[in-house]
Amino acid sequence: MTASTGAASSEGLRLAEDFTMPVDMVTSTFAILGKKGRGKTHCASVLTEEMIREGVPTCILDPTGAWWGLRSSADGTAPGLPVVIFGGEHCDVDLPETSGTIIADVLIEQRFPAVLDMSLLSKSARRRFATEFLERLYWKNRLPLHLCLDEADEIAPQRAHAGVERLLGATEDAVRRGRIRGLGITLISQRAAALSKSVLSQVDSLIVLGMTAPHDISAVDAWVGQHAEEAQAHEVKATLPALPVGEAWVWSPEWLGVLRRVHVRARTTFDSSATPKTGQVRLQPKQWAQVDVAALAYRLADAEQKGAETDPRRLRARVRDLERQLAAASEPPPPREIEVEVPVVTEEQTAELDQLVGRLEQVAQASAESAQALAEALGRARPPAHDAAPAAPAAEPEADAESLQAPSSEVTPTPTSGNGGLGKAEREILVALAQHGPRTRTQVALLTRRSHRSGGFRNALSRLRTAGLVEGRGEIAITEAGRTMLGGAWQPLPTGSALLEWWCRTLLGRAERTILTELVRCWPDEVSVDELAARTGYSRASGGFRNALSRLRSLELASGRGSLRAADTLAE
């Protein structure tokens, strides 16, 4: 593999047998638009072949896995172009979603042609890779380099939903201001109407193949109408629906000053984007152009090491990690957690256990009440003392039934004169409603670490309703009287990252903490259940993993089924 020099020959870029463009156009912006099956990728491949043969470093962002054929000849029997393939099913080198900056550095330094095959990455992973790659390429490149963006409407959409804004901004920078940094761009799309108008308006040369959708034709007509005479624009618009496969209109008002209909020449490399036909044996290349993968791997490793040493994000993360270690060293070690796999309990078994717990709580409460009554009776029966000895200290009151339960990890508010008459269960229910707002009975039970079917929990809710401290059945809310009774013995919830720490410290088990932290890291993107299990090291079929997902949904910390997304309140 040899680095491209960028030196241009005098032959130019031969798009058709009778149509050639100057090599200097490699730093301009092209748009190749056309309906699926009309030769859009074929036309872009011909243009790419010409640029690579002229010594121009050319890179293709390929989300569909259709460009690997550049490495072999048209019939597959001879080597093609020495293009390095990153990622995909025919890769020379892997393409991790986190390698955008590193690969951009290597391409800028070594200046060789490459295909970045993103077809095996998820949609969110493709966006993350493309964002880092385009940002780095724009800020660091200074010599001629051409970039082909296949399916450009995915990278620069007209309607950018949440999570795509940064990628769209990086694309706009490369298209609008990339020429001064040596960057040329080719935008390839079958949906002209779906492509960002702010990006499409910066195109220097438009190559349009056949299309039939009225919205796409209107988008092309708007562009041509700004640069051509009315009669020319009408001719282009009228011919687009019936334009034969392989024929295209080339409109270059500034560079060439032409509006011309051409027949794109045949490819000299293997057509790996061809649609397979029924009953036809798909041809596979037998000869490939050789590239020095070993040398490339060494360069990538060296670039990765240099990037790790100077990347501001990694340095900031390292500083934060050291600060956490320093803070942890001054605190006592946390209790050791032992993870135990527990078999999933059936619905019937859960209901039966809840009934038993309820009966036990009722017995405990009755016992406590009986003990209190007996103590009062003994007090009345005891003869009064006649000596002047000081009275013995009053006996501590008996603990109520709820206090027999395991202590909650929630910080218990200190009783004040405003809530001294509340039992532990009633007090924790009021704190949960004051902090989280109206919640269902199941959610309130989760927030107080109780079973919503238990007698103690139901009795506590009943006492609060009777006293007018809470209201509602399907959804329970604290009343003004409840807030007055609670007084200042509670703290509002924090926000942003502090809120995530609060949940992890207070109410979530290890599985819920691990899953929620990963979802917040990926926010605002959704993460599929399969990918989430792989990232957190759990089995998708395990009861612990499924129960953790269910608990996060019940607490409204995550939403979704096949794919999950963290609640907006947890992200800064």
Side-chain angles (χ1 to χ4, degrees):
M1 181 184 66
T2 58
S4 299
T5 62
S9 71
S10 59
E11 296 181 2
L13 309 178
R14 187 171 58 91
L15 185 65
E17 296 299 335
D18 56 350
F19 183 75
T20 302
M21 295 181 290
V23 177
D24 288 344
M25 293 188 71
V26 297
T27 55
S28 65
T29 301
F30 296 86
I32 301 178
L33 308 175
K35 182 183 176 183
K36 178 175 61 177
R38 294 297 183 95
K40 178 176 70 274
T41 305
H42 177 95
C43 178
S45 299
V46 168
L47 192 59
T48 301
E49 291 174 354
E50 293 292 313
M51 291 183 184
I52 293 175
R53 290 197 177 96
E54 288 291 335
V56 178
T58 307
C59 176
I60 301 97
L61 249 64
D62 176 17
T64 61
W67 284 79
W68 53 268
L70 291 172
R71 280 278 290 280
S72 187
S73 64
D75 60 1
T77 61
L81 299 172
V83 177
V84 178
I85 303 173
F86 292 82
E89 297 179 352
H90 301 81
C91 70
D92 301 308
V93 184
D94 288 336
L95 185 79
E97 63 178 274
T98 57
S99 62
T101 299
I102 296 171
I103 291 179
D105 286 342
V106 170
L107 292 180
I108 292 168
E109 275 184 37
Q110 304 301 325
R111 305 188 59 73
F112 56 84
V115 172
L116 308 184
D117 188 336
M118 304 181 293
S119 60
L120 299 184
L121 299 178
S122 66
K123 183 173 289 188
S124 59
R126 291 201 300 266
R127 290 171 183 161
R128 283 191 288 271
F129 173 84
T131 300
E132 293 189 1
F133 177 79
L134 289 172
E135 287 179 344
R136 188 68 162 194
L137 207 64
Y138 172 75
W139 285 108
K140 193 171 182 180
N141 186 72
R142 291 299 182 271
L143 296 175
L145 187 152
H146 198 85
L147 181 64
C148 295
L149 305 179
D150 203 355
E151 303 295 341
D153 51 276
E154 181 179 318
I155 295 176
Q158 172 61 18
R159 296 181 180 178
H161 55 79
V164 186
E165 298 92 341
R166 182 181 163 196
L167 175 56
L168 178 58
T171 309
E172 288 180 342
D173 285 342
V175 171
R176 296 173 61 186
R177 293 179 284 272
R179 180 182 297 171
I180 197 173
R181 299 172 182 269
L183 281 180
I185 306 288
T186 294
L187 305 166
I188 309 165
S189 176
Q190 60 180 316
R191 291 301 314 276
L195 188 61
S196 168
K197 298 301 179 291
S198 62
V199 170
L200 188 58
S201 65
Q202 302 300 313
V203 168
D204 301 313
S205 302
L206 186 68
I207 302 176
V208 188
L209 295 97
M211 57 176 60
T212 56
H215 293 302
D216 296 330
I217 293 177
S218 296
V220 172
D221 184 48
W223 193 92
V224 174
Q226 293 178 358
H227 303 87
E229 297 178 359
E230 184 176 352
Q232 292 176 315
H234 179 74
E235 180 184 5
V236 172
K237 182 178 180 180
T239 58
L240 288 180
L243 205 61
V245 175
E247 288 199 10
W249 282 99
V250 179
W251 175 225
S252 180
E254 295 181 4
W255 280 88
L256 302 178
V258 298
L259 174 61
R260 183 170 173 180
R261 183 171 173 175
V262 302
H263 186 84
V264 180
R265 70 163 176 81
R267 288 183 59 166
T268 59
T269 57
F270 187 77
D271 188 2
S272 50
S273 65
T275 303
K277 294 181 172 58
T278 304
Q280 182 182 22
V281 178
R282 191 180 182 100
L283 182 65
Q284 294 295 330
K286 297 180 180 179
Q287 293 290 329
W288 294 69
Q290 297 298 313
V291 295
D292 190 351
V293 178
L296 178 59
Y298 174 79
R299 291 168 183 165
L300 283 172
D302 184 58
E304 184 173 7
Q305 182 178 358
K306 291 179 180 177
E309 294 172 353
T310 59
D311 186 357
R313 289 174 301 179
R314 296 192 181 189
L315 292 175
R316 287 194 294 268
R318 179 59 179 160
V319 170
R320 289 194 298 268
D321 184 53
L322 291 173
E323 289 175 344
R324 283 194 296 268
Q325 292 180 27
L326 182 61
S330 60
E331 297 178 357
R336 182 182 177 187
E337 294 184 355
I338 301 177
E339 184 176 356
V340 180
E341 284 289 336
V342 180
V344 178
V345 183
T346 65
E347 294 272 348
E348 294 78 8
Q349 291 171 329
T350 301
E352 185 178 352
L353 288 172
D354 282 338
Q355 291 176 0
L356 291 173
V357 172
R359 288 200 292 271
L360 287 173
E361 290 176 342
Q362 292 172 0
V363 171
Q365 185 174 358
S367 299
E369 292 172 354
S370 298
Q372 182 67 26
L374 181 59
E376 293 174 356
L378 288 173
R380 290 192 298 270
R382 182 179 294 114
H386 298 287
D387 57 353
E396 290 293 328
E398 292 288 333
D400 57 29
E402 292 293 342
S403 66
L404 300 177
Q405 298 182 9
S408 168
S409 59
E410 173 68 87
V411 178
T412 305
T414 304
T416 67
S417 58
N419 65 15
L422 294 173
K424 180 181 178 183
E426 290 94 335
R427 185 167 61 252
E428 291 182 351
I429 291 172
L430 288 180
V431 169
L433 292 174
Q435 288 179 327
H436 300 275
R439 287 293 185 270
T440 65
R441 187 173 70 172
T442 301
Q443 289 172 333
V444 174
L446 288 173
L447 291 170
T448 56
R449 289 187 175 271
R450 286 173 167 79
S451 167
H452 68 281
R453 296 190 181 94
S454 71
F457 179 72
R458 292 199 301 267
N459 291 339
L461 274 182
S462 177
R463 288 192 291 271
L464 290 173
R465 286 196 191 94
T466 302
L469 304 181
V470 300
E471 60 185 3
R473 294 286 178 181
E475 191 172 65
I476 304 167
I478 188 172
T479 63
E480 286 302 321
R483 291 183 184 275
T484 302
M485 173 64 75
L486 196 57
W490 67 281
Q491 294 293 329
L493 294 179
T495 59
S497 59
L499 179 59
L500 174 62
E501 293 177 5
W502 184 91
W503 278 105
C504 292
R505 183 182 68 251
T506 332
L507 285 170
L508 301 183
R510 180 178 180 181
E512 291 101 0
R513 293 197 303 269
T514 304
I515 293 170
L516 185 60
T517 301
E518 183 62 26
L519 288 175
V520 171
R521 190 183 72 81
C522 297
W523 183 92
D525 291 335
E526 294 182 348
V527 183
S528 70
V529 173
D530 290 335
E531 186 176 354
L532 191 58
R535 289 188 178 192
T536 56
Y538 288 97
S539 168
R540 189 188 192 282
S542 71
F545 180 71
R546 295 203 305 270
N547 290 339
L549 295 185
S550 176
R551 183 176 171 86
L552 291 176
R553 293 190 192 99
S554 298
L555 290 171
E556 298 182 359
L557 298 177
S559 59
R561 290 291 174 185
S563 296
L564 274 74
R565 181 176 184 268
D568 295 340
T569 55
L570 298 174
E572 292 182 342

